[in-house]
Amino acid sequence: MKEPDDQDTDGISEKSKSDRRHSLWSSKSVSRYEITEGEDWLVDDDSDLEELEGSSSTVEDDYEESIGEFQSMEPLAPASKEVKEEVKKKISENFFYDYDQLVSVPYVSSYSLIPSDLLTLVHSFGYDCKKRANLQLLDLNTVLYVAGNFLILLNFRTKEQVYLRSNSGRGIGVIAVHPQKTYFTVAEKGVSPKIIIYEYPSLKPYRILRDGTELAYAYVDFDSSGYLLASVGSNPDYTMTIWNWKEEQPILRSKAFSQEVFKVTFNPEDEQQLTTSGTGHIKFWEMVYTFTGLKLQGSLGRFGKTSSTDIEGYMEFPDGKVLSGSEWGNMLVWEAGLIKVELCRSSGKTCHQGPINQIMLDEGEVITIGSDGCVRIWDFETIDTADAVDDSGLLEIEPINELQVDKNVKLFSMIKMNEVGYNFWLAQDASGAIWKLDLSFSNITQDPECLFSFHSGAIEALAVSPLTYLMATTSLDCFVRIYDFASQIALTQMKFKQGGTALTWVPQLVSYTGAQIIVGFEDGVVRVLELYDPKGLTLFAGRKKISDAEIHLKRAFKPHTARVTALAYERDGEILATGSEDKTVFFFEVEKEYRPIGYINTPGPVCQLTWSTISHPESTLLIFCENGYVLEAPLPTIKEEVEDHDKISYEIKDIHIKYFHFTSVKSKILRMMEIERRKKEKELKEKAKEERRKQLAAEMGEDEEKEFSEEEEEEEEEPLPKIFVPSTPCHILCGFYSEPGKFWVSLGGYDSGFLYHCKFPPYDPNYNITESEDEAFEFRHLAYTEDNPIQTITFSINQSMMFCGMQNGAIRVYILQDNNFLLSGLEDYWHLNVHDNDYGCIKAISTSFDDRFFVTTGGDGNIFVFSIFSEFELKKQVKARVPPPRFGIETEPIPEDIVDPNAYSIENARRKRENDKLMKEMEEIKAGKREKIKTLRNELKKLLALNEELPKHMQFKRTDFDLDSKIRAEINRKTARKIQQVEKELSWEKEKHHVGLMKIKKRFRDSLENDIIIVHAIQSDHKIASYRLVKPSKYSKFKRPSQTERRPSKLERFDKDGTGRRDSQKESGASISATEESLIEKGKKFRPKTLSEIMVKNQIEKTRKLIVKAEKAQQKIQQRKKEWEELYKSKPDDDFEDPKDVQAIKEAQLYMGDFNLKTAADYKIPEHMRINAAKKEEELGHLDTMVHSKKLHMNKSILSLRDLKIAVIEEIQCLVQELKNIQSSLPIFKHIPIPQVPEIHPEEVPEKRFQYDEKTLLAFKQQKTENLKPAQIEKASSVILSGFLKPHCSRKEGDLMSRESIYKPPKSSLLTSEIPKIVEFEKAEPTDVELEIMKRDEIKHVYMQQYLINRIKELIVTFDAELRLLRHQKLKLDTQMKLSDLHHLTLFQEMLLLKNFEKQENILQERVNSLDKEEQDMQWKINETQKEMEEKKTEIAKLQDQEKALYAGFQAALGENNKFANFLMKVLKKRIKRVKKKETEGDADEDEESEESSEEESSLESGEDESGSEDEVFDDSICPTNCDVGLFELAIYLREKRLDIEEALVEEKKIIDNLKKEYDALSKKVKVVANNLNAAEEALEAYQREKQQRLNELLVVIPLKLHQLEYMVFGEIPNDLSGTLVFSNRSLSRLQERIVQLQNENSQQQKLNKECRERRKQLIREKREMAKNIHKMEETVRQLMISKFGRVIDLEALQTLSVNTTLEELKIKKLRKEISNAREMKIWEEKIAQVRWEVMMKTKEHTKKLHQMNDLCIEKKKLDSRLNTLQNQQGNAFQGPRKADIVARERITELIQVQAERILSLKAEIALLRKKGGLILPPIHVPPEN
């Protein structure tokens, strides 16, 4: 089955496509190409048609191949002046493609009865306003824009729309219009999308451009002349292509950038210059002619100091400069790839508030439009001459004029209308509108006019009226819009503060007029809106314009705190349910003005609500949650309003809800489907196996059957797919009820591709939602929806069709069987891509109330209305009826709307009401308490007064009256609050001083990584200081790019290019000739029905087999030749050298080096050792980085040592405290002196200088106060307090650096702990036991005292040892740092010197690089020329072989002893003058010369034959008598082929001559360039030598020890060491080891040489033996040929010419002609018999009429006689005539006249019938009698 999304073809069967292609080619092939240069175009129609019948390629493919042939036939320009003009074939100007064959059509399942026009687009209401360049102007009334998969041509005056569908069905990328408005281009999206150019106004596809990008086009643009077209692709390739679009040919192609490219444009003044811009870049392109042809060179714009920005709008100046916008709104002037100046407005204001989206040059003025909705006009001269005036790079300018379109307008693009006398523009508003702007800026300038208004962005919801053709939509752009989709007009709109997210039409049960809609918004508010026709209202004075419809807000309430996602009315219209992302579903009683009933909580965000239908016994609500949960809630119980007042919350808890937690079963389904598939395959294999066994048993017997069964082995089956369940549940997209308790659901993500039928488990009050895992019991597989799930589903009114909206913007329609929801058959469907495939996910779909229309809305902002196919025609004029207004609606007060997004929801409002009630009660309680406190306060005042009256010794203290200390704490808190208030008042001053401090810190402190820290030893005077370390230098931060790249060495070029740039030559095999193809196709076309046709078929089949056999033989011969050629190619030459050896020699030559001293005059610097300033800076940066890392490591070690000292001091403090406690219990004479606690020196903690506390601030304040004058005291104190009231740095408790012990010894170390005083009593004598205990304690304390003293000493000694060890390491590092400083100085001097040489070196290096590149290119051209010459020589050899084969084949066709052999050979060899196809009238002389040369160069004609042919004159136009006509025609045919071959030989030889001339010219140029290159290299080498000499003059300091000096003179160190060399030990040892290595290598090479010589001798012997074998085999073959054929023959000619195809074809034509003649004779005989029968029948009819005439004559005679008798009898009785007699007489007279007329007519008819070819008149009818 075909993928429905792949609608890049016409969506029809292959047969119909081939038929259409055939008809297209046959009808338009004449006008497809146009012949230039006076060429004659001769086409054999029959052969062309026969070839096309068997071709399966499309017309476009054939056309591309033909164009490729024409391109390959273009010759190189010859050196001589006599140049033949090649005839170029181009597409005819009148050629058009067939739109019906290009456009994508709906996909319909195979063998289904669904009509292809099931849905027909009626109207589009949307507009993709955020799509780039989505507004183009075709003429003064017609605009062009893209809507999903449609291209819409809108007449903005009549509002009529014309639609063109996408070709690929994957959407449209971008559109553009030709400068002359006669064409417009449509760039598609999809795999290898096309660019289709339509002609306007015919709208016919004119040209198709292919293979310009991979997936989609981002922008296209015509040049100013309209001849070229530029296109740029989107992700992933971003390919830019320049097209000659009329010839459908790409001219240039390049990758535009590695990120998104927004647009590409030509310079209007110079089509050779282009500009592209996009994400974070702008690039300037130029088409330049080089010696290799036309190239596209791009230069990336460098922002420099300016921040990089996305560039949306720009324009090119005539002189090549470019003016672009920026994200922040300023304009940038680019020149030579750099920003020349940045333009802004005065006072530093930006040119626009936001990005500049478009810049244009119109009538000498620059126009800019921005996202701020402004259009500003600037002076072109001011911008063109602008230049930066300072280092900021900014220049302030002011616009000439400006226009603010409107509020909330975001202008995206603008296009001029070109009306005469006006300056009108059309503007695309990204907020959803198309504006008409007047930029004349005069007294009569019109205000901006909004022509069309649309939704901006994705449309979230859609609803259709249940009574008429009205629909409502809403979006996040805060609009609710009403449309009449039958009349195709937008009626009205209404805007709110928040965006709409859900919408539904109120059912007729609630609003019988269908006038109400209900809308949910993203802030949780639900609004009921009423629609009415304002024409039915009472007209008031002053009301000018009355619209067709208006919206009135009827009610607003807020049930949710998050966006409303679903709204649903119960089937009886009594209850409204609303769902939201806040995981709640709220119920409202509709009849009582939407009184809230309550809400229920859901396990996840609600995505859809569906009430059960009337077919269900109970009314239930189906709730779909995004996270995989589905709930079924019964109808909530409606209670009286009086009972709700006591409730605190609206939550409904006593409701029985059924839960279904969906678990993925897709892997199980796939596993089951795989098992079923394998089972069917196995059954088919078993069946086929059984049939083979039976057939084998019948043919071979039982024994062989057993052997066959034993040989068969069963294949191992692959493992089944594993069961997989995604860790996170897939999102539920939509669903619906199928039966009570059952539902269908569609999911996204992994579970997409199926519709799952699920069933709710029985209600269980103890049901655990989170742990449950429910599975679907049934599923329906949906074709091609694995990555494109169903987003929304709806049904037709009669439930006969299921409409599905897909994620990629497509519509799918399933025809339901029996109109039920069991979905029994979903194999057949109708599929059409409508919205944009990338971001046009379908949000909502719906059908009209009568199933006549179908409406879709998508994420791309488009709204499409389709008419549904019906057997009954629609009414011509269908219009929606807007509901009339209710009585009194104009006098109703406007209900209060909920505008604040933070307003309380219904539930929160109820809770707040309860909270307010509680707070009110608490306030009443507080008021009562306050009264009591007031009473108690008065009593306290009285008691205090009484207390004052008492004597002092009897008075209570004031604290005795404090009953609770918390009162004092409350007073302190109030004081703290007042302090905070003061801090707030002084915050500005504080911030001011803080900013000043930060500036000083940034200037002096931030560049410092580590300050100097000096750590002192405790007992000694040793100390160690860290390095003052600044941040790394600029050289170590970045790698400076080299100004000029070094020319690659020869070895590098060899590794990179290999043998050179060569294009692989594709070999083409032999193909069947046109006559053979036509013969085979004729055999396939006719189906045998008669004996003669069977004979024809047998003859054709026989001929076909012979041709196929000959073709296979020819292919086998060609394959064998190809293998031999490859074998000979792989044979090495006599001077062949092993590539590995060549590579090793080159490496040795390049990298062995020159061991001359650098001071030598002939020293040559190797290329890999050459140095420049950039490399020296890199070396300098590497040195700085290494020095910085070593210093940083040492600083860390010193810092760790400082931390160790702090820890030691803390431990010593603890030990001293413990020691004091011990000594307090010992006698004084046993005390040991306590060691002094070490202190932290200030230089050990330099960060202390930047930390402060309150004491520090107060001391600083006092110091500043003393220094300042008395008048400044108050001001200074306020500043100081405001700046330093709080410490700036926050310190953690665990930080050792912020502890108090760092700064000063703790009090515990200076003061002894307080020991409680012992109360003195009378001393008693201790007992013996007490004395013993005291003695033991004393011994123990003495030991602990000594141990603690030793521990303190050990800590001090250990720390000092660590410090001395680290100090020794630092001294070594200091030595290294001094050496590195010396080396740094040397490197810096070298870098300065190299910078002086850099400019001239760059010039020389560029000269060498350019010459080297020129030499390489010329060498490549020479190689290509040689290769072409070899190819042409090969083609000449092939043509000569064809000529030989032609003569050999004709000789074989003649056979032996043919008496007309000489005559036919003369016919074959006769020279004929014929007009060449590629010849002009002025080249007649050249024709004769070419004919003579071709005659002379025929290698197969002997001199005797030529002389004989000249002497004899014979007529070759008539076949002699008794000569075989077939052989004669064959000779004529082969003569034409011989002449073609001879002409081709002449052409090829001429081409070879031209190539030889070109080769000679290039060889001379290469020699000149090589000489120039050698001279340039010598100059560069001399300059390098001079640079090296200057470097050698620099002094380098190298400290050496005496034992390192080995240069002695008479055992002493000489005074002059200038002639010494300095080697490192490693280099010296490596040189010594190299000597040993070279000796070993030499011995190994000698041994290997000896082995190779022996191997060569053995190969020579084997070669001789093989030559002997070959000679013997050739002799054997020759003898076999002689014995079998009698002579040596050409086996190739014998195999390939086994049948005379011309003769066989003539025979078949003869049989067919006989059959057609027999058929035609049979048809004529049948026609003669038919005519004879008709003549016989006419004769019978006329005979019958003669008999009738005879009867009438007899009757007349009787009547005459009777009349005479009556007259004679009655004449006597009456004298006068009676009235009756008169009447009778008149009747008889009339009768006689009629009969006479009939007799005359019958006679005339008989006379006519007697004549041949007489006309038969219609019979005469007698008028009826009254």
Side-chain angles (χ1 to χ4, degrees), residues 156-174:
F156 57 84
R157 300 190 190 277
T158 63
K159 307 297 188 296
E160 295 179 357
Q161 294 181 351
V162 179
Y163 313 103
L164 295 177
R165 270 199 59 79
S166 166
N167 164 258
S168 63
R170 299 295 184 90
I172 298 174
V174 70

Side-chain angles (χ1 to χ4, degrees), residues 49 240 309-310 325 467 657 896 1030 1095 1209-1210 1359 1712:
L49 290 175
M240 183 176 68
T309 173
D310 297 347
L467 295 177
I657 302 175
E896 184 180 356
V1030 297
M1095 292 171 61
I1209 290 174
E1210 287 186 347
F1359 173 76
R1712 287 179 175 171

Side-chain angles (χ1 to χ4, degrees), residues 151-353:
L151 185 69
I152 299 181
L153 286 80
L154 172 64
N155 188 321
F156 57 84
R157 300 190 190 277
T158 63
K159 307 297 188 296
E160 295 179 357
Q161 294 181 351
V162 179
Y163 313 103
L164 295 177
R165 270 199 59 79
S166 166
N167 164 258
S168 63
R170 299 295 184 90
I172 298 174
V174 70
I175 55 176
V177 177
H178 193 271
Q180 298 176 1
K181 310 295 184 184
T182 54
Y183 303 97
F184 62 89
T185 179
V186 180
E188 303 273 346
K189 294 196 292 186
V191 179
S192 297
K194 302 175 183 177
I195 299 177
I196 304 177
I197 292 94
Y198 290 87
E199 198 268 342
Y200 184 78
S202 66
L203 303 183
K204 294 180 181 179
Y206 187 60
R207 294 294 182 265
I208 299 178
L209 310 180
R210 301 171 179 85
D211 299 330
T213 187
E214 292 185 14
L215 293 180
Y217 286 97
Y219 204 85
V220 293
D221 181 58
F222 286 97
D223 67 341
S224 57
S225 63
Y227 176 74
L228 299 178
L229 176 70
S231 67
V232 64
S234 62
N235 187 47
D237 57 332
Y238 307 111
T239 301
M240 183 176 68
T241 310
I242 311 299
W243 304 85
N244 179 0
W245 63 272
K246 286 194 175 181
E247 297 299 326
E248 299 184 355
Q249 289 298 310
I251 299 175
L252 295 170
R253 182 170 292 165
S254 176
K255 184 178 178 67
F257 199 62
S258 59
Q259 297 181 16
E260 184 179 3
V261 182
F262 296 156
K263 62 190 298 186
V264 56
T265 56
F266 287 94
N267 189 333
E269 303 296 332
D270 186 2
E271 64 181 14
Q272 304 294 328
Q273 296 180 359
L274 298 94
T275 308
T276 60
S277 69
T279 303
H281 80 281
I282 185 170
K283 203 167 185 180
F284 313 101
W285 301 85
E286 187 173 4
M287 292 186 282
V288 295
Y289 286 94
T290 64
F291 55 85
T292 58
L294 188 64
K295 298 291 183 183
L296 193 62
Q297 295 180 354
S299 174
L300 186 65
R302 289 171 287 180
F303 288 92
K305 296 180 180 179
T306 308
S307 302
S308 61
T309 173
D310 297 347
I311 295 179
E312 188 76 44
Y314 62 85
M315 62 161 283
E316 300 90 346
F317 286 4
D319 59 353
K321 294 198 292 290
V322 174
L323 177 67
S324 74
S326 62
E327 290 181 274
W328 54 86
N330 280 345
M331 292 185 288
L332 309 176
V333 180
W334 298 83
E335 185 176 17
L338 299 173
I339 296 178
K340 181 182 179 183
V341 65
E342 181 177 354
L343 304 177
C344 64
R345 300 177 71 182
S346 60
S347 303
K349 294 189 295 183
T350 57
C351 299
H352 284 270
Q353 297 296 324

Side-chain angles (χ1 to χ4, degrees), residues 1307-1322:
K1307 294 180 180 179
S1308 58
S1309 63
L1310 302 176
L1311 302 174
T1312 59
S1313 60
E1314 294 181 1
I1315 302 174
K1317 295 181 180 180
I1318 302 173
V1319 181
E1320 294 183 358
F1321 292 98
E1322 292 182 1

Side-chain angles (χ1 to χ4, degrees), residues 1247-1304:
E1247 58 269 23
K1248 179 183 176 184
R1249 292 175 295 176
F1250 303 98
Q1251 296 174 355
Y1252 55 88
D1253 53 7
E1254 190 175 355
K1255 285 186 178 181
T1256 307
L1257 293 177
L1258 292 174
F1260 180 74
K1261 177 185 176 183
Q1262 185 177 0
Q1263 182 182 359
K1264 296 291 290 183
T1265 306
E1266 292 174 355
N1267 296 334
L1268 291 173
K1269 295 179 181 180
Q1272 299 175 347
I1273 290 176
E1274 185 177 356
K1275 180 179 179 182
S1277 62
S1278 64
V1279 170
I1280 294 168
L1281 283 176
S1282 64
F1284 299 98
L1285 191 60
K1286 277 192 174 182
H1288 294 290
C1289 57
S1290 60
R1291 298 186 296 269
K1292 297 182 180 179
E1293 294 180 357
D1295 191 1
L1296 294 174
M1297 305 309 299
S1298 61
R1299 292 187 180 182
E1300 193 68 26
S1301 60
I1302 297 177
Y1303 312 132
K1304 59 182 179 179

Side-chain angles (χ1 to χ4, degrees), residues 1146-1338:
K1146 287 183 178 294
E1147 289 181 358
Q1149 290 176 349
L1150 292 173
Y1151 297 121
M1152 183 178 292
D1154 190 356
F1155 291 105
N1156 293 331
L1157 295 178
K1158 293 183 179 180
T1159 55
D1162 58 345
Y1163 175 70
K1164 185 177 180 180
I1165 306 172
E1167 290 185 1
H1168 66 280
M1169 293 180 61
R1170 292 180 181 178
I1171 196 72
N1172 55 18
K1175 291 183 179 180
K1176 192 59 67 177
E1177 284 187 7
E1178 186 178 349
E1179 188 177 352
L1180 193 62
H1182 178 68
L1183 177 64
D1184 289 347
T1185 303
M1186 188 168 58
V1187 169
H1188 182 271
S1189 62
K1190 287 183 176 296
K1191 287 184 177 181
L1192 185 63
H1193 181 264
M1194 179 55 65
N1195 285 353
K1196 289 181 179 178
S1197 301
I1198 294 174
L1199 194 63
S1200 301
L1201 185 67
R1202 195 270 306 271
D1203 295 340
L1204 176 63
K1205 183 176 182 180
I1206 293 171
V1208 167
I1209 290 174
E1210 287 186 347
E1211 188 174 354
I1212 290 175
Q1213 288 176 352
C1214 296
L1215 294 175
V1216 168
Q1217 183 63 37
E1218 188 176 353
L1219 191 60
K1220 288 181 179 180
N1221 293 335
I1222 291 173
Q1223 287 184 352
S1224 63
S1225 59
L1226 286 175
I1228 297 176
F1229 65 90
K1230 289 187 178 184
H1231 287 187
I1232 299 176
I1234 298 175
Q1236 187 177 1
V1237 178
E1239 293 183 358
I1240 296 293
H1241 296 79
E1243 57 265 23
E1244 292 179 337
V1245 282
E1247 58 269 23
K1248 179 183 176 184
R1249 292 175 295 176
F1250 303 98
Q1251 296 174 355
Y1252 55 88
D1253 53 7
E1254 190 175 355
K1255 285 186 178 181
T1256 307
L1257 293 177
L1258 292 174
F1260 180 74
K1261 177 185 176 183
Q1262 185 177 0
Q1263 182 182 359
K1264 296 291 290 183
T1265 306
E1266 292 174 355
N1267 296 334
L1268 291 173
K1269 295 179 181 180
Q1272 299 175 347
I1273 290 176
E1274 185 177 356
K1275 180 179 179 182
S1277 62
S1278 64
V1279 170
I1280 294 168
L1281 283 176
S1282 64
F1284 299 98
L1285 191 60
K1286 277 192 174 182
H1288 294 290
C1289 57
S1290 60
R1291 298 186 296 269
K1292 297 182 180 179
E1293 294 180 357
D1295 191 1
L1296 294 174
M1297 305 309 299
S1298 61
R1299 292 187 180 182
E1300 193 68 26
S1301 60
I1302 297 177
Y1303 312 132
K1304 59 182 179 179
K1307 294 180 180 179
S1308 58
S1309 63
L1310 302 176
L1311 302 174
T1312 59
S1313 60
E1314 294 181 1
I1315 302 174
K1317 295 181 180 180
I1318 302 173
V1319 181
E1320 294 183 358
F1321 292 98
E1322 292 182 1
K1323 294 184 178 180
E1325 291 295 332
T1327 61
D1328 295 338
V1329 176
E1330 290 177 350
L1331 291 174
E1332 185 66 24
I1333 292 172
M1334 291 172 63
K1335 188 175 181 180
R1336 288 184 178 183
D1337 291 340
E1338 184 179 349

